[in-house]
Amino acid sequence: MLTLLWLLGLIFLITVLAWVRSGLLNGCLVVGVYLLAMTLLGPVHWLLDIILWALFLGIAIPLNLTDWRRRSITTPLFHWFRKVLPPISDTEQEALDAGTVWWDGEIFSGRPDWNRLHSYPRPTLTVEEQAFLDGPVEELCRMTNEWQVTTELQDLPENVWDFIKGNGFFGLIIPKEYGGKGFSAYAHSQIAMKLASRSGDLGSTVMVPNSLGPAELLLQYGTDEQKQHYLPRLAAGQEVPCFALTSPEAGSDAGAMPDRGIVCRGQWQGEEVLGLRVTWEKRYITLGPVATLLGLAFKVHDPDGLLGDQEDLGITLALIPTDTEGVDIGRRHFPLNAAFMNGPNSGTDVFIPMDYLIGGQPMIGHGWKMLMNCLAVGRSISLPAGGTGAAKMASMTTGAYARIRRQFNLPIGEFEGVQEALARIGGNTYVMDAARTMTAGAVDLGEKPAVLSGVVKYHVTERMRQCINDAMDVHGGKGICMGPKNYLGRGYQSVPISITVEGANILTRSMMIFGQGAIRCHPYVLEEMQATQDPDQDRAIARFDTLLFEHIGHALGNAAGSLLLGLTCGALVKTPGNDDTRDYYRQLSRLSAAFATLTDTSMLMLGGELKRRERLSARLGDVLSFIYLASATLKHYHDEGEPEEDLPLLRWGVEDLLAKIEQAMHEILLNFPDRCMGIALRVLIFPLGRRLKPPSDRTGGEVARRLMTPGASRDRLLAGCYRSSDPDDVTGLLNDTLDKVILADPIEHRLSKAIRSGELEHDSEADDLAVAAESGVLSPDEAQKVRDARLARRAVIEVDDFSPEEMRPG
């Protein structure tokens, strides 16, 4: 028995040394001392003693002899690693080089530093930014009518276009020195969110020029002459920009882009100059049909060697005025009845001078890197803001409707089936807003979160889809009858647009998030890959040796941490938070260690094959994403001052994410390529089994009640959403009615009680309010409040109808 205890102590000691990452030499010294004590003091049989010492010395001595280790272990592994290294295309390499690593690096480390998370400053608005939101943004929302835009005009009205251009909405990110607003990323996000909460078409129209487009590309890569000429014109709305990337055949595969530019000499403004003849065909280009300035991506070829001895020069970006001879700006696409401007464009052998290239001739071939760097910023803001705006609108309208609409003499929000949908809407909106805010804040800190931008793009748009679906289910017939009184239908109809653009969600999840993150954010893999590319082999092997054994220590530490934290439910790790949140941090620490273990094992066993295991990659990406979303949700709650009334929203969001993390890990292990390794990993990751549960029905009910009840918690959830109280406005009527219904409800309750008790007698044909006022059961003022509430409720539940003439196509 004592021998067994000594052996268990040895295993525990090794596990702890791995967890604390003691280092190879220090770890060997501690284990050696333990074995010596075990030999001298323990009742261990001499044969077992010899076996243990032989194992220890056979491992410790060779590994600590650096020259022998490099010659006998590192060099063979170096050549094997170079051989199995997945082939990386030029576009993949440029994507890996783009952007920066931020909180995603903490997650891949397996040991996220929660104090560091809390130390990131909470994003705030300047006085000028807040004034713009309260003034021009509020006014733009007020003057936009969704039914008019999407049905009567299929375009924004002329006065709305003029207001957008005249008030600098196309120059939000352009510095003041060029006439722009010079707003922060967070302000940009707040503006886009508010506009999208009013109208998806309005949001899209403003988002695109401030996201991946000419302004951002000019700011980062343009020549001084290009900046001085174009940025003031863009900021003033004199130029309407678009950016053309997607080709009919290439789609998401930019490497297969067929659009080309041939280096040649040609006539330009009466002179022969060096330029390119560009041929392209693009589609899905937002603002394309009304653009005056076309940003264009194409591949440059130099068959005559006018620029050197290299023929294929790579993807390049240009800015081309749309009135240039040969440019065909095309007609319009009609994406799911949405009214924002979108269409194809093309050109055949269009001659452009070299100074049309963004950054000029020196930037030929750098186009994909330029796009990836800009996309890391733009994708962090636009679609997450738009998706969150739609979710906040769904929370506002569905919470109010569930309180106003009655069935069986009860608000429909009192039924548990409806509460389940309301809980998802409110909980998802809280998580989405947290992720949007934290990621925009990262951009303002100077980060270009290439991997995390994909995370928020995918998960915010998917959760937006869930919110809108649930909102439609709660509204029922009110949601499906189109007309001026329908505030959900167009949003529901256009959901797949945000799912598709800026990287289709299927590809983003299955190929991009983990595929890029595993290399870009891992503490060692990218450096190991770079070490193998060093032409000086001795130096490469020495560097690889250092990284390799640090990587092994990292992997063993995370495996040990996964086991120890799993056995103790995370109690061994020190975390911030209060009694309500501390356990969430502990669970995330445990799951981060488990994720890092899964990552290292998957990459070790599959190597380049991991690129083709898309389901495995997708689930690993889900784990990464859910940990990030949960981190953002906890930070959001912390930054808000940890208000107790918001606890149900926090609980629903984090518990939903924690349960999803365990489910994704469970599916990874069920489908792990090596069954035996999958079983071994399950012991490390779930030593006590799967223990995390989704949000309780009680929590869901509390979230639902917060959506239906005006108050501080609801106000914080809806902060930044366009909220009207004008009963002549489609959503203003809803908000106005909610206040009237809540005010009248106690009076209605007294009236019903009086009727049931017989205190008030009236036949079914009589006006119960008039009788109650005459009999003194209600005062005239109380009767009027109930009457107003009933009329307003009826107005809310009304749907539109049309004559046969109106239904005929215009």
Side-chain angles (χ1 to χ4, degrees):
M1 183 64 181
L2 288 174
T3 300
L4 180 60
L5 289 175
W6 275 96
L7 289 173
L8 290 175
L10 178 61
I11 294 170
F12 178 74
L13 176 66
I14 293 172
T15 303
V16 171
L17 288 170
W19 182 41
V20 301
R21 301 180 187 175
S22 62
L24 178 60
L25 180 59
N26 291 336
C28 289
L29 289 173
V30 174
V31 172
V33 170
Y34 185 90
L35 284 176
L36 183 61
M38 186 174 172
T39 300
L40 297 175
L41 305 175
V44 181
H45 191 276
W46 63 269
L47 181 59
L48 178 59
D49 209 26
I50 291 173
I51 292 172
L52 290 174
W53 275 105
L55 284 171
F56 169 67
L57 295 174
I59 294 172
I61 293 174
L63 291 183
N64 283 285
L65 295 174
T66 305
D67 290 340
W68 184 92
R69 183 183 72 206
R70 287 181 181 174
R71 183 174 62 254
S72 303
I73 298 176
T74 304
T75 299
L77 285 174
F78 175 85
H79 292 299
W80 172 82
F81 188 72
R82 262 209 306 207
K83 184 178 179 181
V84 302
L85 197 65
I88 298 176
S89 67
D90 291 341
T91 53
E92 286 177 313
Q93 184 61 55
E94 288 179 334
L96 288 173
D97 293 339
T100 58
V101 177
W102 189 56
W103 187 249
D104 38 355
E106 290 284 325
I107 297 171
F108 270 95
S109 77
R111 297 190 176 189
D113 182 346
W114 301 113
N115 290 320
R116 180 185 175 194
L117 177 73
H118 284 185
S119 73
Y120 294 134
R122 178 186 183 183
T124 57
L125 298 171
T126 66
V127 173
E128 182 185 1
E129 290 167 345
Q130 187 64 60
F132 189 78
L133 272 162
D134 295 339
V137 177
E138 184 80 8
E139 178 62 23
L140 182 56
C141 289
R142 187 163 42 244
M143 64 195 295
T144 302
N145 181 300
E146 181 81 348
W147 179 254
Q148 179 192 37
V149 169
T150 60
T151 306
E152 296 173 4
L153 300 177
Q154 269 299 315
D155 190 4
L156 298 175
E158 187 175 345
N159 67 320
V160 170
W161 275 110
D162 290 343
F163 191 88
I164 289 172
K165 295 174 182 178
N167 285 273
F169 279 87
F170 284 168
L172 301 179
I173 65 170
I174 296 174
K176 291 183 178 181
E177 63 186 280
Y178 298 109
K181 298 294 182 186
F183 284 169
S184 65
Y186 179 61
H188 176 195
S189 176
Q190 290 290 104
I191 293 165
M193 181 180 71
K194 189 165 192 173
L195 296 177
S197 73
R198 178 59 161 175
S199 164
D201 295 311
L202 180 63
S204 298
T205 300
V206 172
M207 283 179 209
V208 169
N210 292 290
S211 181
L212 178 60
E216 179 76 21
L217 290 163
L218 283 170
L219 283 170
Q220 292 202 38
Y221 303 105
T223 65
D224 288 339
E225 292 79 8
Q226 289 171 339
K227 292 177 183 178
Q228 293 294 339
H229 177 73
Y230 282 119
L231 290 178
R233 296 174 61 80
L234 289 166
Q238 294 172 289
E239 300 279 7
V240 177
C242 70
F243 191 83
L245 175 63
T246 306
S247 303
E249 294 292 337
S252 298
D253 182 8
M257 185 187 300
D259 311 293
R260 67 188 187 278
I262 307 299
V263 179
C264 63
R265 293 190 177 277
Q267 290 295 315
W268 186 256
Q269 296 179 349
E271 297 182 28
E272 184 179 87
V273 299
L274 187 65
L276 304 100
R277 291 205 174 276
V278 188
T279 298
W280 74 92
E281 181 186 3
K282 304 288 189 178
R283 63 181 180 182
Y284 311 144
I285 311 307
T286 298
L287 293 187
V290 295
T292 62
L293 187 63
L294 171 67
L296 184 67
F298 55 92
K299 288 182 176 178
V300 171
H301 304 277
D302 185 14
D304 298 328
L306 297 177
L307 300 180
D309 56 4
Q310 187 177 346
E311 181 174 342
D312 297 327
L313 300 178
I315 296 174
T316 301
L317 309 182
L319 280 184
I320 306 174
T322 56
D323 59 2
T324 301
E325 185 178 354
V327 174
D328 182 0
I329 203 59
R331 303 196 295 172
R332 283 184 67 179
H333 296 314
F334 194 27
L336 293 172
N337 282 9
F340 69 93
M341 288 293 165
N342 188 276
N345 60 71
S346 61
T348 302
D349 289 335
V350 177
F351 183 79
I352 62 171
M354 283 292 177
D355 59 10
Y356 273 20
L357 302 183
I358 298 178
Q361 184 176 322
M363 297 306 292
I364 290 177
H366 295 283
W368 191 242
K369 177 181 70 176
M370 295 159 67
L371 287 171
M372 288 298 98
N373 274 313
C374 291
L375 189 63
V377 173
R379 194 165 54 175
S380 300
I381 297 170
S382 294
L383 288 174
T388 306
K392 290 198 176 205
M393 186 275 293
S395 295
M396 178 185 71
T397 56
T398 313
Y401 188 78
R403 183 67 181 79
I404 294 166
R405 184 76 165 97
R406 298 177 69 89
Q407 292 279 286
F408 310 108
N409 291 320
L410 282 173
I412 61 173
E414 294 298 324
F415 298 112
E416 290 191 355
V418 173
Q419 287 185 354
E420 186 177 5
L422 287 172
R424 283 195 298 269
I425 295 171
N428 279 325
T429 301
Y430 190 81
V431 171
M432 294 160 66
D433 198 25
R436 173 195 71 86
T437 301
M438 180 163 150
T439 311
V443 174
D444 281 329
L445 292 175
E447 302 290 341
K448 296 179 180 179
V451 175
L452 294 180
S453 67
V455 169
V456 290
K457 186 275 175 183
Y458 171 77
H459 286 278
V460 170
T461 55
E462 288 293 341
R463 284 174 180 252
M464 178 268 291
R465 169 153 55 183
Q466 178 74 69
C467 288
I468 299 296
N469 282 346
D470 283 326
M472 287 293 287
D473 288 350
V474 172
H475 280 77
K478 170 73 175 176
I480 64 173
C481 291
M482 296 300 294
K485 296 173 184 173
N486 189 321
Y487 41 77
L488 279 178
R490 287 299 187 212
Y492 176 81
Q493 202 171 12
S494 61
V495 161
I497 296 172
S498 58
I499 300 295
T500 301
V501 300
E502 289 191 14
N505 275 11
I506 287 178
L507 294 181
T508 300
R509 175 176 179 258
S510 61
M511 296 178 66
M512 294 170 62
I513 291 175
F514 183 77
Q516 187 177 356
I519 297 175
R520 188 74 181 85
C521 306
H522 193 284
Y524 298 104
V525 169
L526 184 58
E527 288 191 74
E528 288 168 338
M529 293 172 63
Q530 290 169 342
T532 64
Q533 307 304 312
D534 191 334
D536 186 331
Q537 184 159 302
D538 290 339
R539 184 174 61 197
I541 290 174
R543 177 63 178 150
F544 184 76
D545 175 77
T546 301
L547 292 168
L548 175 65
F549 282 89
E550 287 179 358
H551 188 164
I552 291 171
H554 163 85
L556 292 175
N558 284 322
S562 180
L563 178 62
L564 291 172
L565 295 178
L567 289 170
T568 61
C569 297
L572 294 178
V573 67
K574 185 178 180 181
T575 62
N578 55 33
D579 291 341
D580 294 309
T581 61
R582 194 171 293 114
D583 189 55
Y584 295 146
Y585 289 103
R586 288 171 177 164
Q587 295 302 330
L588 285 173
S589 293
R590 171 177 76 85
L591 295 168
S592 294
F595 167 69
T597 300
L598 281 173
T599 295
D600 277 318
T601 307
S602 300
M603 296 176 76
L604 175 66
M605 298 198 67
L606 294 174
E609 179 68 17
L610 186 57
K611 285 177 65 174
R612 291 176 285 279
R613 297 292 185 112
E614 292 179 25
R615 290 179 182 175
L616 177 63
S617 180
R619 289 172 180 135
L620 286 165
D622 287 344
V623 176
L624 167 66
S625 301
F626 295 148
I627 294 175
Y628 178 70
L629 295 178
S631 302
T633 304
L634 286 164
K635 176 169 171 55
H636 186 68
Y637 182 70
H638 170 79
D639 288 348
E640 290 282 346
E642 301 182 347
E644 189 167 347
E645 59 267 34
D646 289 2
L647 262 177
L649 292 161
L650 174 79
R651 286 193 181 114
W652 195 99
V654 176
E655 289 172 11
D656 174 68
L657 289 162
L658 290 173
K660 282 182 165 69
I661 293 169
E662 277 205 344
Q663 178 63 27
M665 288 182 170
H666 170 65
E667 292 175 7
I668 290 167
L669 297 173
L670 280 179
N671 295 280
F672 206 74
D674 187 303
R675 184 65 181 153
C676 293
M677 181 57 73
I679 293 171
L681 286 170
R682 187 174 291 276
V683 173
L684 282 176
I685 292 169
F686 299 129
L688 299 179
R690 293 164 60 200
R691 304 172 61 85
L692 300 177
K693 296 177 175 59
S696 67
D697 292 347
R698 180 179 176 181
T699 298
E702 291 175 349
V703 171
R705 279 184 280 278
R706 275 152 180 76
L707 258 64
M708 293 187 290
T709 308
S713 183
R714 188 174 190 264
D715 288 343
R716 278 189 293 271
L717 184 68
L718 301 182
C721 176
Y722 176 69
R723 298 171 69 181
S724 170
S725 295
D726 180 0
D728 292 328
D729 179 85
V730 62
T731 57
L733 173 63
L734 203 62
N735 292 323
D736 179 66
T737 302
L738 177 63
D739 292 337
K740 288 177 178 175
V741 165
I742 289 175
L743 186 65
D745 264 0
I747 307 171
E748 285 266 27
H749 180 71
R750 280 172 41 213
L751 179 62
S752 298
K753 186 177 179 181
I755 293 173
R756 288 196 306 270
S757 68
E759 180 185 354
L760 180 67
E761 295 184 5
H762 77 289
D763 60 49
S764 59
E765 301 297 323
D767 181 345
D768 60 339
L769 292 175
V771 174
E774 289 172 6
S775 65
V777 171
L778 299 180
S779 70
D781 181 61
E782 288 175 325
Q784 188 59 47
K785 287 177 180 177
V786 174
R787 195 182 309 279
D788 290 345
R790 288 179 180 179
L791 289 171
R793 175 185 286 119
R794 180 56 189 257
V796 163
I797 66 176
E798 283 287 353
V799 297
D800 297 283
D801 50 60
F802 302 93
S803 69
E805 291 75 22
E806 290 174 306
M807 292 298 293
R808 293 195 185 109

